[in-house]
Amino acid sequence: MPRCDAPGFAEAVEAIVRENGIRLVVPTIDTELSAYAEAAGRFAALGARVHVSDPATIAVVRDKHLTMQVLGAAGVPVPETRTEAELRADPRSLGWPVFAKPAGGSASRGLAVYASPGDLPESFPEPMIFQTRLSGPEYTVNIFLDQAGELRCAIPHLRLQTRAGEVEKGRTERRADLAAIARKVAAALPGARGVLCFQVIDDPRHGPRVFEVNARFGGGYPLAHHAGARFADWLLDEIDGRPCRAHDGWREGVTMLRYDDAVFLG
């Protein structure tokens, strides 16, 4: 397979779909989403659905600065955010320290905290955004929107321990405030479909703040699935034309623990 940002990526996947009679294609990394969103109509002509939101939604979520603008305008609580140019023009606009991340980053790449204006490097290799540094418990909220765009399920889990941006230990929690935020996120992204997830820090000073949206299955989805939010099954129902069984009756207090194992051969 070519890289997802290389010419011919969509065509290579189309060939696999055609040869194997595939009916559902599920992207799992952010960098694939734009290519799949643009080619979704071509896959549909082959009888295959690509599990991806519309191109306008993907354009928003793949630009973290635009994400904050769109969500904030829709009443979603988000942290104060500045571009590099805005922060350098007014270094006191956020207060210090500030949290920095690439505007088009993924998998926790390039994250940094700067304590003062003097700690900023002279330049960055890519566009960056800067936000008020938040502290407090961190949650991922996995959501499922049906083919009409209706929010059918929102299941938060507390990220008890993470590594490289992925949850290692998590526990499902019912919180009315996070469910209300989920409804606002869905309303802010009317072209969203299927599975998305967003991340929240519940800051003791500022309250819950959404700082990330991923228009795909998140790495912690197995916890949601085990707790009864069976998004994968609901997607298959849609593919088979069965009535949507999506619901919000998942179990609270379900805990997931991940660990590494060593396998030796020879």
Side-chain angles (χ1 to χ4, degrees), residues 183-205:
R183 290 191 289 271
K184 290 183 177 181
V185 169
L189 302 171
R193 296 292 184 274
V195 182
L196 295 86
C197 63
F198 62 90
Q199 289 174 259
V200 178
I201 290 180
D202 190 4
D203 186 278
R205 279 195 310 142

Side-chain angles (χ1 to χ4, degrees), residues 213-266:
V213 178
N214 297 303
R216 55 170 172 76
F217 279 89
Y221 167 69
L223 172 56
H225 190 93
H226 186 78
R230 302 176 69 89
F231 296 176
D233 293 347
W234 302 342
L235 278 180
L236 294 176
D237 285 343
E238 291 182 348
I239 295 301
D240 284 341
R242 293 193 290 263
C244 182
R245 295 179 294 164
H247 59 81
D248 204 41
W250 47 272
R251 302 190 306 280
E252 186 177 20
V254 177
T255 301
M256 177 179 71
L257 307 176
R258 285 172 165 165
Y259 63 92
D260 291 326
D261 197 3
V263 178
F264 301 94
L265 302 175

Side-chain angles (χ1 to χ4, degrees), residues 13-236:
V13 181
E14 282 182 68
I16 295 172
V17 166
R18 188 181 299 108
E19 292 165 10
N20 295 277
I22 290 169
R23 297 171 59 202
L24 177 64
V25 179
V26 182
T28 56
I29 59 173
D30 297 311
T31 48
E32 295 178 335
L33 297 177
S34 296
Y36 277 121
E38 295 295 339
R42 286 159 38 195
F43 283 94
L46 297 175
R49 175 183 170 185
V50 180
H51 171 249
V52 68
S53 297
D54 70 10
T57 300
I58 299 306
V60 170
V61 301
R62 289 295 294 134
D63 181 332
K64 298 183 188 301
H65 187 239
L66 183 57
T67 299
M68 295 297 100
Q69 291 178 317
V70 169
L71 295 185
V76 177
V78 295
E80 288 288 327
T81 304
R82 302 288 185 273
T83 64
E84 181 183 353
E86 290 169 340
L87 182 65
R88 292 191 188 275
D90 186 1
R92 293 180 296 180
S93 62
L94 287 180
W96 296 84
V98 298
F99 179 70
K101 60 184 176 183
S106 182
S108 296
R109 176 182 58 80
L111 306 186
V113 174
Y114 297 101
S116 69
D119 292 333
L120 292 176
E122 291 186 4
S123 63
F124 291 90
E126 58 186 318
M128 300 288 289
I129 64 169
F130 301 84
Q131 297 177 318
T132 303
R133 187 185 182 189
L134 303 174
S135 62
E138 184 177 334
Y139 291 82
T140 293
V141 183
N142 289 282
I143 63 176
F144 184 87
L145 299 104
D146 64 21
Q147 288 184 304
E150 180 182 350
L151 178 65
R152 304 294 291 264
C153 181
I155 173 169
H157 65 253
L158 176 62
R159 291 162 65 92
L160 297 169
Q161 183 172 313
T162 61
R163 180 176 62 179
E166 295 288 347
V167 62
E168 284 191 316
K169 299 177 182 178
R171 181 177 62 243
T172 59
E173 289 189 10
R174 281 199 179 273
R175 288 187 46 166
D177 57 346
L178 298 184
I181 290 173
R183 290 191 289 271
K184 290 183 177 181
V185 169
L189 302 171
R193 296 292 184 274
V195 182
L196 295 86
C197 63
F198 62 90
Q199 289 174 259
V200 178
I201 290 180
D202 190 4
D203 186 278
R205 279 195 310 142
H206 304 286
R209 290 292 183 270
V210 176
F211 66 93
E212 188 86 28
V213 178
N214 297 303
R216 55 170 172 76
F217 279 89
Y221 167 69
L223 172 56
H225 190 93
H226 186 78
R230 302 176 69 89
F231 296 176
D233 293 347
W234 302 342
L235 278 180
L236 294 176

